[in-house]
Amino acid sequence: MNEEQRVRRPGGRSARVGAQVHQAVTALISERGYGNFTVGEVAARAGVADSSIYRRWGSLETLLTDVALTRLNAQSPMPDTGSLAGDLRTYAAQVAREITGPDGPAVLHLAFVLSSSGQQGMQAGADLRAERTRQLQSMLDRARDRGEQALDAFDVLDHLLAPMYIRVLFGMVPLAPDYVDGLVDRLL
């Protein structure tokens, strides 16, 4: 089979290697913090060659950006409970679980550090905001189609996600269900 006929399958070895590398990065950030490990240490922890990481991501900064964006963006689909209040409560509870879970604080800290470090980091922050906004807009569009109150996606970011992110970054966890529901109540 020549190169043009070869079809890349989703999953398989490539997906496993990506998952192993992402987990290795997350573990190293949890243990040592941002900037305190090398590509070689990631490769050793993941059980892959350094060259595999460089071939796929090009640099440690690109790998770190990919880990942050992947982990914060693609955890689960936007809820569709039939009401905006139900969707927001379900979404907020889901985000609270994600960012306070075993890897959540490390990944959130990584996203913060990346978004404030240089041009590539600023792009990572812009990509993260764009993806979160796109996800939220799908929920808000459904609510608008049902005739419910129209909210702005940035209001959801500012009044729902930002307070939870700040609390996790400053170690003010756990995020109690009453606190999370209160954020939704104030937003609505």
Side-chain angles (χ1 to χ4, degrees):
M1 183 178 276
N2 69 34
E3 285 295 317
E4 292 178 64
Q5 293 172 321
R6 197 173 287 169
V7 176
R8 202 165 220 175
R9 295 175 304 172
R13 183 179 188 286
S14 180
R16 279 192 311 277
V17 167
Q20 289 169 277
V21 170
H22 277 218
Q23 187 56 46
V25 166
T26 304
L28 286 165
I29 291 169
S30 293
E31 292 169 14
R32 301 183 190 174
Y34 175 78
N36 296 316
F37 54 88
T38 65
V39 168
E41 291 168 311
V42 172
R45 175 75 59 103
V48 301
D50 296 22
S51 59
S52 294
I53 292 175
Y54 284 114
R55 187 172 40 255
R56 187 168 185 170
W57 287 280
S59 69
L60 182 58
E61 188 83 2
T62 302
L63 170 59
L64 296 174
T65 300
D66 184 49
V67 169
L69 290 172
T70 300
R71 296 295 293 273
L72 290 173
N73 280 334
Q75 294 296 321
S76 54
M78 296 306 276
D80 188 0
T81 65
S83 74
L84 181 58
D87 290 351
L88 287 170
R89 285 185 201 296
T90 302
Y91 179 67
Q94 169 187 307
V95 169
R97 276 190 307 277
E98 290 169 8
I99 64 175
T100 60
D103 299 331
V107 173
L108 191 57
H109 181 74
L110 173 60
F112 174 75
V113 170
L114 286 172
S115 67
S116 60
S117 63
Q119 187 62 35
Q120 187 174 9
M122 288 173 33
Q123 184 60 50
D127 291 347
L128 177 59
R129 283 187 306 279
E131 180 60 20
R132 281 289 195 204
T133 302
R134 185 196 63 73
Q135 292 170 346
L136 291 169
Q137 195 60 54
S138 70
M139 178 194 326
L140 299 172
D141 289 345
R142 280 195 317 268
R144 187 173 291 112
D145 291 346
R146 291 187 301 257
E148 294 183 79
Q149 172 187 354
L151 291 176
D152 182 77
F154 286 108
D155 286 338
V156 178
L157 289 169
D158 288 341
H159 300 287
L160 191 62
L161 296 180
M164 289 193 289
Y165 287 178
I166 291 297
R167 282 185 174 242
V168 170
L169 285 171
F170 287 104
M172 300 166 61
V173 289
L175 298 176
D178 289 344
Y179 170 74
V180 175
D181 283 344
L183 292 174
V184 174
D185 290 341
R186 286 189 292 280
L187 176 62
L188 293 173

